[in-house]
Amino acid sequence: MDKEKRDKLFDQAKDWVLEAGKNIREKINDPLQIDTKSNPNDLVTAMDKETEEFFANHIKQKYPGHSILSEEGFGDELDSLGGIVWIIDPIDGTMNFVHQKRNFAISVAIYEEGVGEIGLIYDVMADNMYQAKRGEGAYKNDVLLSQMDRNKQFEEAVFGLNHFWLCENRLVEEKRMQQFVKDIRGTRTYGSAALEFAFVAEGVMDGYLSMNLAPWDVAAGIVLVNETGGVTTNIDGTELNMLDKDSVLTCNPAIQDRLLNSYIKHGRK
């Protein structure tokens, strides 16, 4: 994608994200209509659907040749990321939205031929926009984010961990992961994969690990992390499946090999 085209798409996408965020803030205290999806803890609200429909309608009207990959049913059935694809999570962190009314984000990415060109993660209630265009760095609002420290010491790392999936899946050995937690400086859980990716890009955390995320959870974050020198793979250390759910590891490259080889690959069940 050439720079002029990318800049125009970025400006339009950012305007829509800000408009959608403003609508959410204005309605944050309205009564909630809450449903469940795959299990009682997999929540979806009318606001999730309203926000995704807002993006889908605007994209289809202005860019009819573009495709949409999204969470709540307003996207397209895709078997590839060919062409230009908008990957959207209207509210990432719905449980936080319902219970806390904070710590959730709008996540919008634009990919062309499978390459992440634009990433936007908007922390709605804090009014912080994490944004990136491929090859131009990543920003929090208007402040350029620093490149990751390639000399980062493993023992000084702070990691985001999705504890629910670590406890419930059979992809890793729990005792080895417990040792990982002991060996690093600390762990955090924020309840929004998009925000956790943004925090890795910002340097608030050095990595984030989860065992079952969808493309819309990670697409924008990958662009941000790439632009700050980070790396994102699945827990095998290979390329993510961007059309289906997958395990996800995003982190500073200085700690990736040790994490994969000492705590995950050697502890697989």
Side-chain angles (χ1 to χ4, degrees):
M1 183 181 293
D2 64 62
K3 186 180 187 310
E4 182 180 1
K5 182 177 183 180
R6 184 166 54 241
D7 287 348
K8 288 181 178 179
L9 277 174
F10 175 87
D11 290 342
Q12 180 61 86
K14 184 176 177 179
D15 285 347
W16 287 340
V17 169
L18 290 171
E19 185 177 347
K22 181 175 183 288
N23 181 62
I24 292 173
R25 283 195 301 274
E26 289 174 348
K27 297 179 178 179
I28 192 68
N29 292 313
D30 289 356
L32 286 175
Q33 177 185 332
I34 305 170
D35 297 313
T36 60
K37 295 187 287 188
S38 62
N39 63 68
N41 295 322
D42 188 8
L43 305 181
V44 60
T45 70
M47 183 56 70
D48 291 83
K49 296 175 182 178
E50 177 182 331
T51 303
E52 184 170 306
E53 186 175 18
F54 164 83
F55 282 109
N57 289 343
H58 279 73
I59 292 166
K60 290 302 184 183
Q61 180 176 3
K62 185 154 188 175
Y63 306 110
H66 294 189
S67 300
I68 301 171
L69 183 62
S70 57
E71 183 171 16
E72 308 302 347
F74 294 94
D76 302 301
E77 293 290 332
L78 301 180
D79 57 13
S80 79
L81 291 183
I84 295 178
V85 181
W86 295 61
I87 307 178
I88 300 169
D89 194 336
I91 298 179
D92 185 79
T94 300
M95 190 176 293
N96 290 349
F97 171 72
V98 170
H99 288 275
Q100 302 174 4
K101 298 183 179 180
R102 61 177 65 87
N103 298 323
F104 61 89
I106 298 171
S107 178
V108 174
I110 301 176
Y111 279 52
E112 183 177 48
E113 303 300 337
V115 176
E117 296 284 349
I118 292 166
L120 296 162
I121 295 174
Y122 186 42
D123 185 340
V124 174
M125 302 309 292
D127 192 23
N128 285 324
M129 179 72 78
Y130 296 87
Q131 55 196 36
K133 292 181 276 188
R134 184 173 64 85
E136 299 184 31
Y139 292 78
K140 179 182 180 182
N141 300 318
D142 295 322
V143 178
L144 179 66
L145 299 179
S146 300
Q147 293 293 297
M148 293 183 186
D149 178 6
R150 295 303 182 99
N151 295 313
K152 184 74 180 186
Q153 297 300 303
F154 189 86
E155 292 76 12
E156 297 175 350
V158 175
F159 232 82
L161 293 177
N162 185 318
H163 301 297
F164 177 80
W165 289 110
L166 285 172
C167 293
E168 296 295 332
N169 81 90
R170 310 303 293 177
L171 294 178
V172 297
E173 204 279 317
E174 286 86 352
K175 291 188 182 298
R176 206 168 274 266
M177 292 306 299
Q178 289 168 6
Q179 188 62 49
F180 165 66
V181 170
K182 292 178 182 178
D183 290 345
I184 61 175
R185 176 162 284 171
T187 64
R188 298 291 184 270
T189 300
Y190 292 95
S192 164
L195 286 179
E196 305 214 42
F197 264 83
F199 296 159
V200 172
E202 187 180 2
V204 174
M205 300 193 301
D206 302 293
Y208 171 60
L209 174 67
S210 187
M211 292 300 156
N212 191 25
L213 293 177
W216 42 80
D217 296 315
V218 303
I222 289 172
V223 181
L224 285 160
V225 168
N226 285 349
E227 289 300 308
T228 55
V231 61
T232 305
T233 67
N234 63 23
I235 64 168
D236 292 314
T238 59
E239 187 176 353
L240 287 180
N241 181 346
M242 292 301 293
L243 290 171
D244 204 351
K245 289 187 175 182
D246 203 349
S247 59
V248 175
L249 169 64
T250 189
C251 64
N252 186 321
I255 61 177
Q256 183 196 32
D257 285 346
R258 181 170 169 184
L259 172 56
L260 284 172
N261 292 316
S262 298
Y263 301 95
I264 296 179
K265 289 184 178 180
H266 290 174
R268 296 293 287 276
K269 293 185 176 182

